[in-house]
Amino acid sequence: MSPSGEIEYTTVCELRGPLAVVEGVSGVGWDEYAHLTLASGERRHGVVLDADRGLAVVQVLEGTAGMDPRGVRVAFTGSPLRVPVGTDWLGRVCNGRGDPLDDGPPVLAAHRAEVGGAPVNPVRREPPSEPVLTGVGAIDALTTLVRGQKLPVFSVAGLPHLELAAQIAAQATVGGEAFSVVFAGMGLTHADASFVRDVLEERSAAGELVLLLNTADDPVIERILTPRIALTVAEHLAFTEGRHVLVVMTDMTTYAEALREVSAARGEIPARRAYPGYLYSDLASLYERCGRIRGRPGSVTVLPVLTMPAGDITHPVPDLTGYITEGQIVLSP
């Protein structure tokens, strides 16, 4: 038994990439949160991807490097992964799991919310009508970003899409109302992560920014978690705290590649270009969490940024994103 009373299993039978397979389990469900304790005493965390016939496949958020299956103890919590939510996130810089990168204390709050979230019920949606002013003339005048909307930026390698995303995050406003920005960077180089922190330093110091940075050398599982934590934090700021929140997510192509890597490790049958067959529904589970809810203050607006491999707009990631979102901003050389 773990100190919290959870049953611990010592039956890790296989490590497969970022996944750990535990046998002989019972009462374990999909998306359940787990604690893994190594023989050295190190603690890692995971989420159940699959549970069937006494086997549980756990994605380890910190990766499985250095783990010996014979010395690992796994305890399942009986509930999905939850994170603290509230205004304490404002002004903080954290990694993709929500752990501080700014030498501050862990983010604490009275309330915790499931990172899985849920799309906004269409019946309760308020139609988008008021703008988010980005300060970029071509966007504000020609392809206006509207509160509660999801408007992606399509780009190709070598174009300044990260600079554009950071500029929008640094200067966007809603005309005098309470406004916050949640910036989720996925698969960034350390140079790009430093650039984003520098550009957004002033907005962070003003307590208007939540910055989540997942770098390319971080575990691939963390990359899948980053946008979900960002949206969970944004939903509370919007629908409970009454703020208008802009969520900038870049780069969604690296997110999809992380999803493909985990899918391959699970041995799933691949679909187009080896991406999993559920790529469309997975992207929709992120994009559809934006909007305005009738009877509640605030709004969540999503600006995803993605690079089109070889400039191919028919590639699965931009193609499926185009089906889900409301128009696109396409950067051209």
PDB file of all heavy atoms in Angstrom, residues 111-138:
ATOM      1  N   HIS A 111      -8.989  25.057  -6.100  1.00  0.00           N
ATOM      2  CA  HIS A 111      -9.756  24.200  -6.993  1.00  0.00           C
ATOM      3  C   HIS A 111      -8.823  23.467  -7.947  1.00  0.00           C
ATOM      4  O   HIS A 111      -7.781  23.988  -8.347  1.00  0.00           O
ATOM      5  CB  HIS A 111     -10.762  25.027  -7.800  1.00  0.00           C
ATOM      6  CG  HIS A 111     -11.724  25.803  -6.957  1.00  0.00           C
ATOM      7  ND1 HIS A 111     -12.794  25.217  -6.311  1.00  0.00           N
ATOM      8  CD2 HIS A 111     -11.773  27.127  -6.634  1.00  0.00           C
ATOM      9  CE1 HIS A 111     -13.454  26.141  -5.634  1.00  0.00           C
ATOM     10  NE2 HIS A 111     -12.861  27.304  -5.819  1.00  0.00           N
ATOM     11  N   ARG A 112      -9.209  22.248  -8.300  1.00  0.00           N
ATOM     12  CA  ARG A 112      -8.479  21.449  -9.284  1.00  0.00           C
ATOM     13  C   ARG A 112      -9.463  20.998 -10.341  1.00  0.00           C
ATOM     14  O   ARG A 112     -10.651  20.761 -10.056  1.00  0.00           O
ATOM     15  CB  ARG A 112      -7.800  20.239  -8.632  1.00  0.00           C
ATOM     16  CG  ARG A 112      -6.824  20.618  -7.528  1.00  0.00           C
ATOM     17  CD  ARG A 112      -6.204  19.390  -6.882  1.00  0.00           C
ATOM     18  NE  ARG A 112      -5.243  18.726  -7.748  1.00  0.00           N
ATOM     19  CZ  ARG A 112      -3.961  19.042  -7.813  1.00  0.00           C
ATOM     20  NH1 ARG A 112      -3.477  20.023  -7.068  1.00  0.00           N
ATOM     21  NH2 ARG A 112      -3.136  18.397  -8.614  1.00  0.00           N
ATOM     22  N   ALA A 113      -8.982  20.887 -11.581  1.00  0.00           N
ATOM     23  CA  ALA A 113      -9.857  20.499 -12.690  1.00  0.00           C
ATOM     24  C   ALA A 113      -9.184  19.431 -13.527  1.00  0.00           C
ATOM     25  O   ALA A 113      -7.954  19.369 -13.623  1.00  0.00           O
ATOM     26  CB  ALA A 113     -10.188  21.723 -13.561  1.00  0.00           C
ATOM     27  N   GLU A 114      -9.992  18.578 -14.155  1.00  0.00           N
ATOM     28  CA  GLU A 114      -9.467  17.530 -15.019  1.00  0.00           C
ATOM     29  C   GLU A 114      -8.880  18.149 -16.286  1.00  0.00           C
ATOM     30  O   GLU A 114      -9.501  19.023 -16.901  1.00  0.00           O
ATOM     31  CB  GLU A 114     -10.573  16.555 -15.407  1.00  0.00           C
ATOM     32  CG  GLU A 114     -11.163  15.774 -14.244  1.00  0.00           C
ATOM     33  CD  GLU A 114     -12.265  14.833 -14.688  1.00  0.00           C
ATOM     34  OE1 GLU A 114     -12.415  14.631 -15.906  1.00  0.00           O
ATOM     35  OE2 GLU A 114     -12.967  14.310 -13.815  1.00  0.00           O
ATOM     36  N   VAL A 115      -7.690  17.684 -16.675  1.00  0.00           N
ATOM     37  CA  VAL A 115      -7.057  18.263 -17.862  1.00  0.00           C
ATOM     38  C   VAL A 115      -7.732  17.793 -19.144  1.00  0.00           C
ATOM     39  O   VAL A 115      -7.598  18.426 -20.188  1.00  0.00           O
ATOM     40  CB  VAL A 115      -5.544  17.925 -17.910  1.00  0.00           C
ATOM     41  CG1 VAL A 115      -4.824  18.477 -16.713  1.00  0.00           C
ATOM     42  CG2 VAL A 115      -5.322  16.426 -18.023  1.00  0.00           C
ATOM     43  N   GLY A 116      -8.482  16.681 -19.068  1.00  0.00           N
ATOM     44  CA  GLY A 116      -9.148  16.195 -20.272  1.00  0.00           C
ATOM     45  C   GLY A 116     -10.192  17.158 -20.777  1.00  0.00           C
ATOM     46  O   GLY A 116     -10.360  17.342 -21.982  1.00  0.00           O
ATOM     47  N   GLY A 117     -10.901  17.818 -19.849  1.00  0.00           N
ATOM     48  CA  GLY A 117     -11.900  18.798 -20.229  1.00  0.00           C
ATOM     49  C   GLY A 117     -13.004  18.208 -21.094  1.00  0.00           C
ATOM     50  O   GLY A 117     -13.173  16.996 -21.207  1.00  0.00           O
ATOM     51  N   ALA A 118     -13.763  19.096 -21.713  1.00  0.00           N
ATOM     52  CA  ALA A 118     -14.857  18.684 -22.592  1.00  0.00           C
ATOM     53  C   ALA A 118     -15.164  19.827 -23.541  1.00  0.00           C
ATOM     54  O   ALA A 118     -14.999  20.996 -23.187  1.00  0.00           O
ATOM     55  CB  ALA A 118     -16.100  18.322 -21.778  1.00  0.00           C
ATOM     56  N   PRO A 119     -15.597  19.513 -24.760  1.00  0.00           N
ATOM     57  CA  PRO A 119     -15.993  20.594 -25.680  1.00  0.00           C
ATOM     58  C   PRO A 119     -17.208  21.335 -25.156  1.00  0.00           C
ATOM     59  O   PRO A 119     -17.999  20.797 -24.376  1.00  0.00           O
ATOM     60  CB  PRO A 119     -16.308  19.859 -26.992  1.00  0.00           C
ATOM     61  CG  PRO A 119     -16.432  18.425 -26.641  1.00  0.00           C
ATOM     62  CD  PRO A 119     -15.726  18.188 -25.363  1.00  0.00           C
ATOM     63  N   VAL A 120     -17.331  22.582 -25.580  1.00  0.00           N
ATOM     64  CA  VAL A 120     -18.476  23.397 -25.166  1.00  0.00           C
ATOM     65  C   VAL A 120     -19.736  22.864 -25.847  1.00  0.00           C
ATOM     66  O   VAL A 120     -19.756  22.622 -27.052  1.00  0.00           O
ATOM     67  CB  VAL A 120     -18.247  24.880 -25.534  1.00  0.00           C
ATOM     68  CG1 VAL A 120     -19.462  25.709 -25.167  1.00  0.00           C
ATOM     69  CG2 VAL A 120     -17.010  25.412 -24.836  1.00  0.00           C
ATOM     70  N   ASN A 121     -20.790  22.683 -25.056  1.00  0.00           N
ATOM     71  CA  ASN A 121     -22.065  22.217 -25.594  1.00  0.00           C
ATOM     72  C   ASN A 121     -22.573  23.225 -26.630  1.00  0.00           C
ATOM     73  O   ASN A 121     -22.753  24.406 -26.323  1.00  0.00           O
ATOM     74  CB  ASN A 121     -23.083  22.092 -24.451  1.00  0.00           C
ATOM     75  CG  ASN A 121     -24.377  21.446 -24.886  1.00  0.00           C
ATOM     76  OD1 ASN A 121     -24.770  21.534 -26.044  1.00  0.00           O
ATOM     77  ND2 ASN A 121     -25.050  20.797 -23.959  1.00  0.00           N
ATOM     78  N   PRO A 122     -22.825  22.788 -27.868  1.00  0.00           N
ATOM     79  CA  PRO A 122     -23.275  23.739 -28.909  1.00  0.00           C
ATOM     80  C   PRO A 122     -24.546  24.484 -28.534  1.00  0.00           C
ATOM     81  O   PRO A 122     -24.742  25.632 -28.938  1.00  0.00           O
ATOM     82  CB  PRO A 122     -23.502  22.835 -30.131  1.00  0.00           C
ATOM     83  CG  PRO A 122     -22.652  21.634 -29.894  1.00  0.00           C
ATOM     84  CD  PRO A 122     -22.637  21.431 -28.407  1.00  0.00           C
ATOM     85  N   VAL A 123     -25.424  23.853 -27.764  1.00  0.00           N
ATOM     86  CA  VAL A 123     -26.685  24.493 -27.381  1.00  0.00           C
ATOM     87  C   VAL A 123     -26.428  25.686 -26.476  1.00  0.00           C
ATOM     88  O   VAL A 123     -27.197  26.655 -26.473  1.00  0.00           O
ATOM     89  CB  VAL A 123     -27.603  23.461 -26.686  1.00  0.00           C
ATOM     90  CG1 VAL A 123     -28.885  24.117 -26.194  1.00  0.00           C
ATOM     91  CG2 VAL A 123     -27.917  22.310 -27.626  1.00  0.00           C
ATOM     92  N   ARG A 124     -25.324  25.642 -25.703  1.00  0.00           N
ATOM     93  CA  ARG A 124     -25.043  26.707 -24.737  1.00  0.00           C
ATOM     94  C   ARG A 124     -24.079  27.759 -25.298  1.00  0.00           C
ATOM     95  O   ARG A 124     -23.714  28.690 -24.598  1.00  0.00           O
ATOM     96  CB  ARG A 124     -24.458  26.111 -23.460  1.00  0.00           C
ATOM     97  CG  ARG A 124     -25.394  25.147 -22.733  1.00  0.00           C
ATOM     98  CD  ARG A 124     -24.814  24.717 -21.418  1.00  0.00           C
ATOM     99  NE  ARG A 124     -24.616  25.865 -20.538  1.00  0.00           N
ATOM    100  CZ  ARG A 124     -23.840  25.837 -19.454  1.00  0.00           C
ATOM    101  NH1 ARG A 124     -23.189  24.741 -19.129  1.00  0.00           N
ATOM    102  NH2 ARG A 124     -23.709  26.910 -18.699  1.00  0.00           N
ATOM    103  N   ARG A 125     -23.661  27.602 -26.540  1.00  0.00           N
ATOM    104  CA  ARG A 125     -22.702  28.551 -27.120  1.00  0.00           C
ATOM    105  C   ARG A 125     -23.354  29.883 -27.448  1.00  0.00           C
ATOM    106  O   ARG A 125     -24.478  29.923 -27.983  1.00  0.00           O
ATOM    107  CB  ARG A 125     -22.092  27.992 -28.408  1.00  0.00           C
ATOM    108  CG  ARG A 125     -21.013  26.945 -28.215  1.00  0.00           C
ATOM    109  CD  ARG A 125     -20.406  26.601 -29.563  1.00  0.00           C
ATOM    110  NE  ARG A 125     -19.449  25.519 -29.463  1.00  0.00           N
ATOM    111  CZ  ARG A 125     -18.160  25.682 -29.200  1.00  0.00           C
ATOM    112  NH1 ARG A 125     -17.694  26.906 -29.020  1.00  0.00           N
ATOM    113  NH2 ARG A 125     -17.348  24.654 -29.132  1.00  0.00           N
ATOM    114  N   GLU A 126     -22.639  30.956 -27.156  1.00  0.00           N
ATOM    115  CA  GLU A 126     -23.013  32.278 -27.654  1.00  0.00           C
ATOM    116  C   GLU A 126     -22.283  32.495 -28.986  1.00  0.00           C
ATOM    117  O   GLU A 126     -21.089  32.214 -29.080  1.00  0.00           O
ATOM    118  CB  GLU A 126     -22.579  33.362 -26.663  1.00  0.00           C
ATOM    119  CG  GLU A 126     -23.434  33.444 -25.413  1.00  0.00           C
ATOM    120  CD  GLU A 126     -24.716  34.220 -25.644  1.00  0.00           C
ATOM    121  OE1 GLU A 126     -25.000  34.578 -26.799  1.00  0.00           O
ATOM    122  OE2 GLU A 126     -25.445  34.441 -24.665  1.00  0.00           O
ATOM    123  N   PRO A 127     -22.962  32.981 -30.009  1.00  0.00           N
ATOM    124  CA  PRO A 127     -22.269  33.215 -31.279  1.00  0.00           C
ATOM    125  C   PRO A 127     -21.146  34.242 -31.111  1.00  0.00           C
ATOM    126  O   PRO A 127     -21.355  35.292 -30.472  1.00  0.00           O
ATOM    127  CB  PRO A 127     -23.374  33.764 -32.194  1.00  0.00           C
ATOM    128  CG  PRO A 127     -24.650  33.321 -31.554  1.00  0.00           C
ATOM    129  CD  PRO A 127     -24.395  33.273 -30.087  1.00  0.00           C
ATOM    130  N   PRO A 128     -19.948  33.976 -31.660  1.00  0.00           N
ATOM    131  CA  PRO A 128     -18.870  34.966 -31.582  1.00  0.00           C
ATOM    132  C   PRO A 128     -19.254  36.245 -32.304  1.00  0.00           C
ATOM    133  O   PRO A 128     -19.834  36.216 -33.389  1.00  0.00           O
ATOM    134  CB  PRO A 128     -17.704  34.261 -32.299  1.00  0.00           C
ATOM    135  CG  PRO A 128     -18.036  32.806 -32.266  1.00  0.00           C
ATOM    136  CD  PRO A 128     -19.522  32.733 -32.326  1.00  0.00           C
ATOM    137  N   SER A 129     -18.952  37.390 -31.683  1.00  0.00           N
ATOM    138  CA  SER A 129     -19.345  38.649 -32.313  1.00  0.00           C
ATOM    139  C   SER A 129     -18.358  39.778 -32.077  1.00  0.00           C
ATOM    140  O   SER A 129     -18.250  40.687 -32.903  1.00  0.00           O
ATOM    141  CB  SER A 129     -20.736  39.078 -31.811  1.00  0.00           C
ATOM    142  OG  SER A 129     -20.715  39.232 -30.399  1.00  0.00           O
ATOM    143  N   GLU A 130     -17.600  39.762 -30.956  1.00  0.00           N
ATOM    144  CA  GLU A 130     -16.712  40.873 -30.634  1.00  0.00           C
ATOM    145  C   GLU A 130     -15.264  40.481 -30.885  1.00  0.00           C
ATOM    146  O   GLU A 130     -14.878  39.341 -30.649  1.00  0.00           O
ATOM    147  CB  GLU A 130     -16.911  41.283 -29.172  1.00  0.00           C
ATOM    148  CG  GLU A 130     -18.320  41.771 -28.882  1.00  0.00           C
ATOM    149  CD  GLU A 130     -18.557  41.946 -27.393  1.00  0.00           C
ATOM    150  OE1 GLU A 130     -18.544  40.928 -26.672  1.00  0.00           O
ATOM    151  OE2 GLU A 130     -18.712  43.100 -26.965  1.00  0.00           O
ATOM    152  N   PRO A 131     -14.433  41.430 -31.308  1.00  0.00           N
ATOM    153  CA  PRO A 131     -13.074  41.067 -31.736  1.00  0.00           C
ATOM    154  C   PRO A 131     -12.070  40.998 -30.586  1.00  0.00           C
ATOM    155  O   PRO A 131     -12.243  41.614 -29.540  1.00  0.00           O
ATOM    156  CB  PRO A 131     -12.698  42.209 -32.685  1.00  0.00           C
ATOM    157  CG  PRO A 131     -13.430  43.390 -32.126  1.00  0.00           C
ATOM    158  CD  PRO A 131     -14.732  42.842 -31.601  1.00  0.00           C
ATOM    159  N   VAL A 132     -11.018  40.224 -30.836  1.00  0.00           N
ATOM    160  CA  VAL A 132      -9.777  40.310 -30.071  1.00  0.00           C
ATOM    161  C   VAL A 132      -8.800  41.069 -30.959  1.00  0.00           C
ATOM    162  O   VAL A 132      -8.484  40.617 -32.064  1.00  0.00           O
ATOM    163  CB  VAL A 132      -9.211  38.917 -29.732  1.00  0.00           C
ATOM    164  CG1 VAL A 132      -7.841  39.049 -29.068  1.00  0.00           C
ATOM    165  CG2 VAL A 132     -10.158  38.146 -28.837  1.00  0.00           C
ATOM    166  N   LEU A 133      -8.363  42.224 -30.524  1.00  0.00           N
ATOM    167  CA  LEU A 133      -7.471  43.049 -31.337  1.00  0.00           C
ATOM    168  C   LEU A 133      -6.047  42.564 -31.159  1.00  0.00           C
ATOM    169  O   LEU A 133      -5.477  42.637 -30.071  1.00  0.00           O
ATOM    170  CB  LEU A 133      -7.602  44.520 -30.937  1.00  0.00           C
ATOM    171  CG  LEU A 133      -9.014  45.105 -31.077  1.00  0.00           C
ATOM    172  CD1 LEU A 133      -9.052  46.543 -30.577  1.00  0.00           C
ATOM    173  CD2 LEU A 133      -9.490  45.021 -32.522  1.00  0.00           C
ATOM    174  N   THR A 134      -5.463  42.060 -32.232  1.00  0.00           N
ATOM    175  CA  THR A 134      -4.117  41.472 -32.153  1.00  0.00           C
ATOM    176  C   THR A 134      -3.011  42.500 -32.318  1.00  0.00           C
ATOM    177  O   THR A 134      -1.860  42.219 -32.001  1.00  0.00           O
ATOM    178  CB  THR A 134      -3.946  40.397 -33.233  1.00  0.00           C
ATOM    179  OG1 THR A 134      -3.988  41.020 -34.534  1.00  0.00           O
ATOM    180  CG2 THR A 134      -5.050  39.348 -33.140  1.00  0.00           C
ATOM    181  N   GLY A 135      -3.331  43.682 -32.837  1.00  0.00           N
ATOM    182  CA  GLY A 135      -2.298  44.665 -33.131  1.00  0.00           C
ATOM    183  C   GLY A 135      -1.581  44.424 -34.437  1.00  0.00           C
ATOM    184  O   GLY A 135      -0.680  45.176 -34.810  1.00  0.00           O
ATOM    185  N   VAL A 136      -1.965  43.382 -35.166  1.00  0.00           N
ATOM    186  CA  VAL A 136      -1.414  43.093 -36.492  1.00  0.00           C
ATOM    187  C   VAL A 136      -2.466  43.514 -37.506  1.00  0.00           C
ATOM    188  O   VAL A 136      -3.546  42.916 -37.590  1.00  0.00           O
ATOM    189  CB  VAL A 136      -1.070  41.600 -36.650  1.00  0.00           C
ATOM    190  CG1 VAL A 136      -0.507  41.306 -38.034  1.00  0.00           C
ATOM    191  CG2 VAL A 136      -0.088  41.161 -35.568  1.00  0.00           C
ATOM    192  N   GLY A 137      -2.170  44.569 -38.266  1.00  0.00           N
ATOM    193  CA  GLY A 137      -3.169  45.188 -39.132  1.00  0.00           C
ATOM    194  C   GLY A 137      -3.812  44.231 -40.111  1.00  0.00           C
ATOM    195  O   GLY A 137      -5.033  44.259 -40.309  1.00  0.00           O
ATOM    196  N   ALA A 138      -3.018  43.347 -40.733  1.00  0.00           N
ATOM    197  CA  ALA A 138      -3.568  42.450 -41.739  1.00  0.00           C
ATOM    198  C   ALA A 138      -4.577  41.480 -41.137  1.00  0.00           C
ATOM    199  O   ALA A 138      -5.560  41.109 -41.790  1.00  0.00           O
ATOM    200  CB  ALA A 138      -2.437  41.664 -42.407  1.00  0.00           C
TER     201      ALA A 138
END
